[in-house]
Amino acid sequence: DGFRVPVLWVETHEVTAIDAQGIDVRVTLRGDTMNYTRMERLLSPGVVSVGAVYDPAETRQFEPPLVRYQFPLTPGATWTQNLRNRDTSNQLVSTINRFVRVGGYEKATVPAGTFDAIVMRILMSVDDNNPFRWPTQCNYMRWWAPEVGAMVRMTKFATYRERGDGREAIEIRAQNTTIELQSFRRGGG
């Protein structure tokens, strides 16, 4: 998210291992202003024990595991989670409160093509124990296409308020992002 300056990157998700403990996915982000690689661990499709939920460069360990997708994705379905993440560098425990509502199907046109996608709204509060600001409030939309077996578009809008009284407690925009699928290749069976 470059706020008013567009930030472009290519994000690649590659399954590196599947075993009895889960699915390992290498996520690589490459662009002019970012260069990250992180690993995600899925316990099953849609259930993440290690991965990102807010910043694409982060890696969090979720307790309990994050339910990114609750399959089957059924219009009208909802789920709520209260997650914990221990930062191993400082031993602080952050909290994530997450609500997901599954909407209906829409056509989603992205650079990779046009797909019938089911839409999900994700409302989230991310508290990283920052003494200078209140938890970040996130409002995301995600389009998931069965044909691809993954997200084809996501919009992210997030803000936080600095701690203080009156005029000091200003709201800061933290994210205003659109992510779209450029291309995909399903793995061999």
Side-chain angles (χ1 to χ4, degrees):
D1 185 342
F3 299 96
R4 295 178 189 222
V5 177
V7 175
L8 302 174
W9 71 89
V10 174
E11 186 171 313
T12 304
H13 295 239
E14 177 187 7
V15 175
T16 59
I18 300 175
D19 60 26
Q21 283 72 49
I23 305 161
D24 291 333
V25 179
R26 180 184 303 115
V27 181
T28 307
L29 294 87
R30 299 284 181 255
D32 291 341
T33 59
M34 63 173 56
N35 233 344
Y36 306 113
T37 299
R38 64 179 164 79
M39 293 299 294
E40 288 197 348
R41 165 65 69 147
L42 283 70
L43 299 180
S44 63
V47 180
V48 183
S49 63
V50 176
V53 69
Y54 170 70
D55 185 333
E58 73 187 359
T59 300
R60 296 177 185 261
Q61 295 181 352
F62 302 111
E63 300 170 11
L66 166 76
V67 178
R68 187 176 287 159
Y69 302 109
Q70 187 169 302
F71 293 111
L73 295 174
T74 306
T78 63
W79 64 93
T80 302
Q81 286 191 281
N82 295 308
L83 307 163
R84 293 174 307 285
N85 170 66
R86 181 175 305 282
D87 184 335
T88 55
S89 68
N90 60 22
Q91 298 306 310
L92 289 176
V93 176
S94 61
T95 57
I96 302 160
N97 298 318
R98 194 166 180 272
F99 171 80
V100 180
R101 178 179 304 278
V102 180
Y105 279 87
E106 295 180 0
K107 293 275 187 205
T109 300
V110 297
T114 299
F115 304 95
D116 288 321
I118 195 159
V119 182
M120 291 172 274
R121 175 169 302 279
I122 300 134
L123 302 175
M124 192 167 51
S125 176
V126 180
D127 186 354
D128 283 326
N129 284 308
N130 186 318
F132 303 106
R133 66 183 202 200
W134 298 104
T136 302
Q137 303 303 313
C138 305
N139 186 347
Y140 296 170
M141 296 289 288
R142 176 179 282 157
W143 288 259
W144 188 89
E147 179 183 345
V148 176
M151 175 189 82
V152 295
R153 173 185 292 136
M154 186 169 194
T155 60
K156 295 175 144 189
F157 184 78
T159 61
Y160 65 86
R161 294 183 75 75
E162 291 187 342
R163 293 187 187 259
D165 294 322
R167 293 189 308 243
E168 294 176 20
I170 60 172
E171 187 168 87
I172 308 292
R173 182 171 63 186
Q175 286 181 324
N176 187 19
T177 304
T178 300
I179 300 169
E180 293 183 330
L181 183 68
Q182 298 292 311
S183 65
F184 75 99
R185 180 175 49 98
R186 292 195 74 130

